[in-house]
Amino acid sequence: MLGEKAHLEICTKPSRELNPEESMFNVIFNTDESSIDVPEALLIENNIDKKVEFFLKTISLSVPSESKPVCFICNSWVYPAIKYGSSYTRVFFRNKSYIPSETPQTLLPYRKSELKYLKGNGLGERKEWDRIYDYDVYNDLGEPDTPNLARPTLGGNSEFPYPRRGRTGRPPTKTDPKCESRPAEGKLIYIPRDERADRLKESAPLSLAYRIKVFCSKTALHAPTVDQISAKSTAVDDEFNDFEQVFALFADRGGKYPTPHLIKGNKSSWMTDEEFARQMIAGVHPVHIRCLKEFPPTSKLDTKLYGDQTSTITEDHIKDKLEPEFTVENALEQNKLFILDHHDTFMPYLRKINESPTTKAYASRTILFLTSEGTLKPVAIELSLPPNSDCDKEGSVSKVYTPSEGGVEYVLWELAKAYVAVNDSGYHQLCSHWLNTHAVIEPFVIATNRQLSVLHPIHKLLQPHYRETMNINALARLLLVNAGGKLESLFFQGKYAMESSSAVYKDWVFTDQALPADLLKRGLAVKKNENGSAVCLVLEHYPYAVDGLEIWSAIRKWVEDYCTHYYASDDIVQKDTELQAWWKDVREVGHGDKKDEPWWPKMKTIDELVESCTILIWITSALHAAVNFGQYPFAAFFPNRPSLSRRLMPEEGSAEYNQLATDSVEKSMLLTITPKYLSDEGISLVHLLSKHTPDEVFLGNEKNCDWTSDANILNAFTRFGRKLAKIEKSIEDRNKDVSEKNRAGLVNFPYTLLIPTSEPGITARGIPNSISI
């Protein structure tokens, strides 16, 4: 039953103190009390002004039959009615969830019509006020009409598979009709307006769009041309001569940037082999190391295209670097050898990458040994290049470096570690961070809004974990990962950055994103029992894994409590039409390049639903926090994590090699890694990405305490919050334990990235609900 239309009146006595941009209104609905139950939905029209939209936060209704107000959580921009057309009126539902089969009959038409509108018809260019969620391939990264800025389309083809992004419908480019044109100067990429959670205009200083635009415009002022780069390479004033000059960039030496956590205390320990290894399990990229299962390491590259890519590391290289009681064979058998492997990812691209006058890189393999103290130490690094001929089928040209304590061999070892760090930085930023969190989640955001009504309990469960994700992804496509964008200029992959991440997506498996499954796949854990999901760590003192498994377990228990409240049997899961349409949309369209993969959950059981939702929440919260918020603390001091290398390792007998004997290791490294003229951009980027905003919502918290009216769900959510608080205390206790040598290392920088809460700013801790930066 639809009630009479009512009009808003300004509230002269607000029930609470309002923020400067807020207003409160009263509305009185005239109705026969005997003929109306608790209101389930409200239809809202904006007839204030044809040009003015407003952000509707909440509606609270006092209903005679209810002991407390009925709450509608809106958090949505309402544009003038004329923008939507006569066939559509905004509808808002109360804070109660229903699966489709249990929806009150009077709500069903509104539930269905709202979803129909949100799907759109796939036609035309989207406008600011549209609320349409649709898919498209990444055909908007390049600018084919501009020389050197054409880029391949990612997604929709077998050569370059990729997750889908939000459709905008912009016109095609002139040169390539299959590519979408870039936005006009100063314009943002379309996303549904409510996905831009900032209630501030894009020009407001605190908005996400403004902060990224300022970063890009400031650094663009200093970006050199190719000719200028060539000139700079010979200019003494444009090089750092030693680390002291790099330290001077930071506040404790009078510089403009906050001092990174890594060098707040001891300023030399970051260079030790122990710290180099520790950061693979307790740094900003602790998700790539794996247990070595065969020696020498082999390659999965197609031998018909790339020849034999088996590692050239031999037993003779490492046997003297192990503890006395170990041979390579029994170290392998006892899970004492580990590898950081960036060989296969980058080898196919190295010939093209190294054509750049400003970049010279390798594909690397690093072998590590697990000591009796539970710490890792590197024992060999292999650096590989394509063959000198133009025939890739001839395999690779490789050289192995081992630890040394003095002379030129020591300098070569330190340079080898730097080349590994360059590989790791590039993989971390484009694959572990951008692809495996930002990009893979966007299709789920789109599918959730297209197929699951806001009334649906799974929509309500997941929505907080999607906040700002489409917004930051669109801003990244506009300014960061686009052709000529900041990531191409700052990371060694250059114009092949996004393309190489597509190659990594070929091996992406949704179910392996679960932390226990990921650890099992990398050989870093074993199952406690054959039928259970619990695991034991092979690398016992692995801070990311130890803390992460506790967070994972807490998330899964919360999701299980939530889902079993609404789904009493597998049959209900199977008959939920919206749920099945959602999963079909994700598999067949959002991740359509992987639609035929056998590993997709069938979404036929409660357990499959719980596991899938747990994976989504894990990716958007803890995994993203682990690979993002340590960027400034670990990488702002760029010699620790350089993002590119400018020259190859000096060959014995060359003038550069002879210079290694006279130059300090610091100067040799600084002449090899990220140049001075790019250091400001790199530091500014990680400063931007690592900062928590004052309005951040952390895991286990909700912006509005009335997000649901279900007392059982609220109680379960409270238990989840309490569990996270206990985990936070456990992590802090472990960090105080001096026997936990991998927690803080020689740099005395404890692993805090998975502590759930944080203050605003760059803190190296805190797990936000969503991928919002």
Side-chain angles (χ1 to χ4, degrees), residues 21-175:
E21 76 275 11
E22 290 182 324
S23 299
M24 187 174 288
F25 293 85
N26 288 329
V27 61
I28 298 176
F29 293 98
N30 296 314
T31 182
D32 180 0
E33 293 183 13
S34 63
S35 63
I36 190 168
D37 202 347
V38 176
E40 295 282 354
L42 295 174
L43 303 181
I44 305 290
E45 284 188 358
N46 174 2
N47 294 307
I48 300 173
D49 188 299
K50 292 183 179 180
K51 296 182 179 180
V52 177
E53 71 273 18
F54 62 85
F55 186 80
L56 183 60
K57 293 180 68 176
T58 60
I59 301 171
S60 183
L61 291 183
S62 296
V63 180
S65 61
E66 296 295 301
S67 59
K68 62 180 184 177
V70 176
C71 194
F72 294 72
I73 308 297
C74 306
N75 290 326
S76 180
W77 287 95
V78 181
Y79 279 77
I82 194 172
K83 298 289 189 183
Y84 298 122
S86 58
S87 63
Y88 177 66
T89 302
R90 295 297 311 276
V91 59
F92 295 95
F93 301 99
R94 66 174 292 203
N95 60 343
K96 188 174 182 179
S97 296
Y98 300 99
I99 60 174
S101 61
E102 295 179 359
T103 308
Q105 286 298 312
T106 53
L107 283 186
L108 277 175
Y110 299 104
R111 181 173 188 146
K112 292 178 179 179
S113 64
E114 179 74 357
L115 280 178
K116 182 180 179 181
Y117 178 86
L118 293 173
K119 292 173 188 174
N121 59 12
L123 302 174
E125 183 174 357
R126 298 272 63 91
K127 305 299 181 185
E128 176 189 329
W129 52 87
D130 286 336
R131 306 180 58 245
I132 308 302
Y133 291 82
D134 203 356
Y135 302 98
D136 209 340
V137 294
Y138 279 73
N139 62 352
D140 65 339
L141 298 174
E143 299 181 54
D145 299 337
T146 304
N148 301 317
L149 291 183
R151 298 291 183 270
T153 292
L154 305 184
N157 63 84
S158 58
E159 184 178 9
F160 301 118
Y162 222 64
R164 300 300 186 261
R165 48 93 172 177
R167 180 185 177 275
T168 70
R170 293 192 305 274
T173 62
K174 296 176 183 178
T175 306

Side-chain angles (χ1 to χ4, degrees), residues 516-678:
D518 169 57
L519 294 170
L520 290 168
K521 185 175 185 177
R522 290 191 284 127
L524 293 171
V526 293
K527 283 191 173 184
K528 284 187 176 180
N529 56 73
E530 189 62 32
N531 298 320
S533 59
V535 298
C536 292
L537 291 175
V538 169
L539 186 57
E540 183 181 355
H541 302 290
Y542 184 179
Y544 163 75
V546 172
D547 299 354
L549 285 171
E550 290 189 358
I551 298 290
W552 167 269
S553 178
I555 294 172
R556 200 182 196 286
K557 181 64 171 69
W558 152 239
V559 173
E560 183 177 35
D561 288 347
Y562 186 95
C563 290
T564 53
H565 179 75
Y566 293 100
Y567 296 92
S569 68
D570 294 341
D571 186 61
I572 299 175
V573 172
Q574 296 165 22
K575 291 179 178 178
D576 186 330
T577 53
E578 287 186 8
L579 188 71
Q580 297 304 320
W582 169 64
W583 202 241
K584 179 182 174 68
D585 220 36
V586 165
R587 292 193 330 268
E588 297 186 3
V589 189
H591 282 280
D593 296 335
K594 289 186 166 288
K595 64 181 179 181
D596 297 323
E597 297 286 0
W599 40 255
W600 281 109
K602 305 301 182 186
M603 204 51 71
K604 299 297 182 184
T605 67
I606 296 172
D607 189 65
E608 286 180 323
L609 175 60
V610 169
E611 184 74 0
S612 298
C613 289
T614 303
I615 290 172
L616 291 175
I617 295 174
W618 166 259
I619 293 173
T620 57
S621 60
L623 178 59
H624 180 257
V627 299
N628 182 70
F629 292 103
Q631 292 195 73
Y632 191 89
F634 282 102
F637 180 68
F638 64 87
N640 182 61
R641 288 190 66 79
S643 58
L644 57 82
S645 47
R646 296 177 281 158
R647 64 175 185 173
L648 296 176
M649 189 76 86
E651 292 289 337
E652 189 170 0
S654 67
E656 285 184 327
Y657 187 92
N658 294 334
Q659 193 175 349
L660 297 180
T662 56
D663 284 349
S664 68
V665 66
E666 297 182 12
K667 187 171 183 179
S668 298
M669 188 180 295
L670 290 167
L671 285 172
T672 301
I673 62 172
T674 309
K676 185 177 182 180
Y677 66 83
L678 283 179

Side-chain angles (χ1 to χ4, degrees), residues 422-435:
V422 168
N423 273 185
D424 201 56
S425 294
Y427 190 97
H428 161 255
Q429 194 65 270
L430 272 300
C431 302
S432 297
H433 181 206
W434 163 258
L435 171 66

